[in-house]
PDB file of all heavy atoms in Angstrom:
ATOM      1  N   SER A  12      -5.570  -9.356  71.075  1.00  0.00           N
ATOM      2  CA  SER A  12      -4.664  -9.149  69.898  1.00  0.00           C
ATOM      3  C   SER A  12      -4.727 -10.083  68.865  1.00  0.00           C
ATOM      4  O   SER A  12      -4.955  -9.831  67.618  1.00  0.00           O
ATOM      5  CB  SER A  12      -3.287  -8.847  70.308  1.00  0.00           C
ATOM      6  OG  SER A  12      -3.270  -7.803  71.397  1.00  0.00           O
ATOM      7  N   VAL A  27      -2.499 -10.997  44.730  1.00  0.00           N
ATOM      8  CA  VAL A  27      -3.867 -10.542  44.786  1.00  0.00           C
ATOM      9  C   VAL A  27      -4.208  -9.406  43.825  1.00  0.00           C
ATOM     10  O   VAL A  27      -3.449  -8.434  43.800  1.00  0.00           O
ATOM     11  CB  VAL A  27      -4.347 -10.022  46.165  1.00  0.00           C
ATOM     12  CG1 VAL A  27      -5.777  -9.738  46.234  1.00  0.00           C
ATOM     13  CG2 VAL A  27      -4.058 -11.152  47.209  1.00  0.00           C
ATOM     14  N   ASN A  31      -8.973  -1.722  42.321  1.00  0.00           N
ATOM     15  CA  ASN A  31      -9.359  -0.393  41.836  1.00  0.00           C
ATOM     16  C   ASN A  31      -9.461   0.656  42.788  1.00  0.00           C
ATOM     17  O   ASN A  31     -10.416   1.510  42.911  1.00  0.00           O
ATOM     18  CB  ASN A  31     -10.760  -0.517  41.115  1.00  0.00           C
ATOM     19  CG  ASN A  31     -10.647  -1.554  39.929  1.00  0.00           C
ATOM     20  OD1 ASN A  31      -9.598  -1.609  39.212  1.00  0.00           O
ATOM     21  ND2 ASN A  31     -11.697  -2.415  39.696  1.00  0.00           N
ATOM     22  N   PHE A  88      19.431  -4.998  73.742  1.00  0.00           N
ATOM     23  CA  PHE A  88      19.816  -3.741  73.001  1.00  0.00           C
ATOM     24  C   PHE A  88      20.119  -4.032  71.519  1.00  0.00           C
ATOM     25  O   PHE A  88      19.494  -3.334  70.516  1.00  0.00           O
ATOM     26  CB  PHE A  88      21.019  -2.964  73.584  1.00  0.00           C
ATOM     27  CG  PHE A  88      21.518  -1.841  72.683  1.00  0.00           C
ATOM     28  CD1 PHE A  88      20.752  -0.599  72.622  1.00  0.00           C
ATOM     29  CD2 PHE A  88      22.623  -1.927  71.891  1.00  0.00           C
ATOM     30  CE1 PHE A  88      21.219   0.511  71.955  1.00  0.00           C
ATOM     31  CE2 PHE A  88      23.062  -0.832  71.177  1.00  0.00           C
ATOM     32  CZ  PHE A  88      22.367   0.295  71.050  1.00  0.00           C
ATOM     33  N   ILE A 193      -2.932 -31.097  59.413  1.00  0.00           N
ATOM     34  CA  ILE A 193      -3.937 -30.129  59.111  1.00  0.00           C
ATOM     35  C   ILE A 193      -3.202 -29.241  57.971  1.00  0.00           C
ATOM     36  O   ILE A 193      -2.122 -28.825  58.267  1.00  0.00           O
ATOM     37  CB  ILE A 193      -4.145 -29.191  60.382  1.00  0.00           C
ATOM     38  CG1 ILE A 193      -4.932 -30.147  61.389  1.00  0.00           C
ATOM     39  CG2 ILE A 193      -4.953 -28.022  59.987  1.00  0.00           C
ATOM     40  CD1 ILE A 193      -5.099 -29.422  62.687  1.00  0.00           C
ATOM     41  N   PHE A 211       2.858 -17.988  79.234  1.00  0.00           N
ATOM     42  CA  PHE A 211       2.882 -17.038  80.363  1.00  0.00           C
ATOM     43  C   PHE A 211       2.541 -17.845  81.668  1.00  0.00           C
ATOM     44  O   PHE A 211       3.051 -17.457  82.799  1.00  0.00           O
ATOM     45  CB  PHE A 211       1.862 -16.052  80.174  1.00  0.00           C
ATOM     46  CG  PHE A 211       2.341 -14.801  79.282  1.00  0.00           C
ATOM     47  CD1 PHE A 211       1.898 -14.620  78.043  1.00  0.00           C
ATOM     48  CD2 PHE A 211       3.265 -14.018  79.933  1.00  0.00           C
ATOM     49  CE1 PHE A 211       2.525 -13.660  77.202  1.00  0.00           C
ATOM     50  CE2 PHE A 211       3.713 -12.872  79.154  1.00  0.00           C
ATOM     51  CZ  PHE A 211       3.408 -12.754  77.776  1.00  0.00           C
ATOM     52  N   VAL A 223       9.412 -17.332  96.006  1.00  0.00           N
ATOM     53  CA  VAL A 223       9.130 -18.039  97.283  1.00  0.00           C
ATOM     54  C   VAL A 223      10.354 -18.689  97.853  1.00  0.00           C
ATOM     55  O   VAL A 223      10.660 -18.623  99.014  1.00  0.00           O
ATOM     56  CB  VAL A 223       7.952 -18.960  97.062  1.00  0.00           C
ATOM     57  CG1 VAL A 223       7.934 -20.009  98.249  1.00  0.00           C
ATOM     58  CG2 VAL A 223       6.696 -18.412  96.818  1.00  0.00           C
ATOM     59  N   THR A 236      30.699 -13.193  90.137  1.00  0.00           N
ATOM     60  CA  THR A 236      31.407 -13.886  89.009  1.00  0.00           C
ATOM     61  C   THR A 236      30.818 -15.216  88.514  1.00  0.00           C
ATOM     62  O   THR A 236      31.337 -15.714  87.591  1.00  0.00           O
ATOM     63  CB  THR A 236      32.914 -14.057  89.355  1.00  0.00           C
ATOM     64  OG1 THR A 236      33.013 -14.943  90.429  1.00  0.00           O
ATOM     65  CG2 THR A 236      33.653 -12.790  89.455  1.00  0.00           C
ATOM     66  N   ILE A 259      20.992 -17.348  76.076  1.00  0.00           N
ATOM     67  CA  ILE A 259      20.372 -16.006  76.106  1.00  0.00           C
ATOM     68  C   ILE A 259      20.023 -15.467  74.691  1.00  0.00           C
ATOM     69  O   ILE A 259      18.904 -14.868  74.519  1.00  0.00           O
ATOM     70  CB  ILE A 259      21.365 -14.972  76.817  1.00  0.00           C
ATOM     71  CG1 ILE A 259      21.647 -15.402  78.347  1.00  0.00           C
ATOM     72  CG2 ILE A 259      20.765 -13.522  76.800  1.00  0.00           C
ATOM     73  CD1 ILE A 259      22.556 -14.556  79.129  1.00  0.00           C
ATOM     74  N   SER A 278      -1.730   1.390  57.809  1.00  0.00           N
ATOM     75  CA  SER A 278      -0.994   2.564  57.545  1.00  0.00           C
ATOM     76  C   SER A 278      -2.009   3.595  57.018  1.00  0.00           C
ATOM     77  O   SER A 278      -3.018   3.124  56.294  1.00  0.00           O
ATOM     78  CB  SER A 278       0.105   2.345  56.620  1.00  0.00           C
ATOM     79  OG  SER A 278      -0.294   1.891  55.477  1.00  0.00           O
ATOM     80  N   LEU A 344       4.372 -26.279  73.678  1.00  0.00           N
ATOM     81  CA  LEU A 344       5.243 -26.741  72.728  1.00  0.00           C
ATOM     82  C   LEU A 344       4.643 -27.636  71.666  1.00  0.00           C
ATOM     83  O   LEU A 344       5.090 -27.541  70.532  1.00  0.00           O
ATOM     84  CB  LEU A 344       6.422 -27.628  73.492  1.00  0.00           C
ATOM     85  CG  LEU A 344       7.289 -26.782  74.373  1.00  0.00           C
ATOM     86  CD1 LEU A 344       8.337 -27.788  75.132  1.00  0.00           C
ATOM     87  CD2 LEU A 344       8.107 -25.733  73.702  1.00  0.00           C
ATOM     88  N   TYR A 387     -12.578 -33.771  56.044  1.00  0.00           N
ATOM     89  CA  TYR A 387     -11.080 -33.452  55.996  1.00  0.00           C
ATOM     90  C   TYR A 387     -10.445 -34.001  54.593  1.00  0.00           C
ATOM     91  O   TYR A 387     -10.823 -34.948  54.168  1.00  0.00           O
ATOM     92  CB  TYR A 387     -10.501 -34.277  57.093  1.00  0.00           C
ATOM     93  CG  TYR A 387      -8.949 -34.192  57.002  1.00  0.00           C
ATOM     94  CD1 TYR A 387      -8.183 -33.147  57.328  1.00  0.00           C
ATOM     95  CD2 TYR A 387      -8.281 -35.371  56.634  1.00  0.00           C
ATOM     96  CE1 TYR A 387      -6.822 -33.017  57.273  1.00  0.00           C
ATOM     97  CE2 TYR A 387      -6.800 -35.369  56.493  1.00  0.00           C
ATOM     98  CZ  TYR A 387      -6.140 -34.240  56.915  1.00  0.00           C
ATOM     99  OH  TYR A 387      -4.774 -34.167  56.721  1.00  0.00           O
ATOM    100  N   LEU A 424      23.326 -20.378  66.242  1.00  0.00           N
ATOM    101  CA  LEU A 424      23.159 -20.608  64.812  1.00  0.00           C
ATOM    102  C   LEU A 424      22.280 -19.389  64.166  1.00  0.00           C
ATOM    103  O   LEU A 424      22.506 -18.950  63.134  1.00  0.00           O
ATOM    104  CB  LEU A 424      22.406 -21.873  64.572  1.00  0.00           C
ATOM    105  CG  LEU A 424      21.937 -22.177  63.076  1.00  0.00           C
ATOM    106  CD1 LEU A 424      23.271 -22.333  62.162  1.00  0.00           C
ATOM    107  CD2 LEU A 424      21.135 -23.434  62.964  1.00  0.00           C
TER     108      LEU A 424
END
Side-chain angles (χ1 to χ4, degrees):
S12 302
V27 181
N31 300 320
F88 172 76
I193 299 175
F211 276 106
V223 170
T236 57
I259 295 174
S278 61
L344 294 178
Y387 171 72
L424 175 66

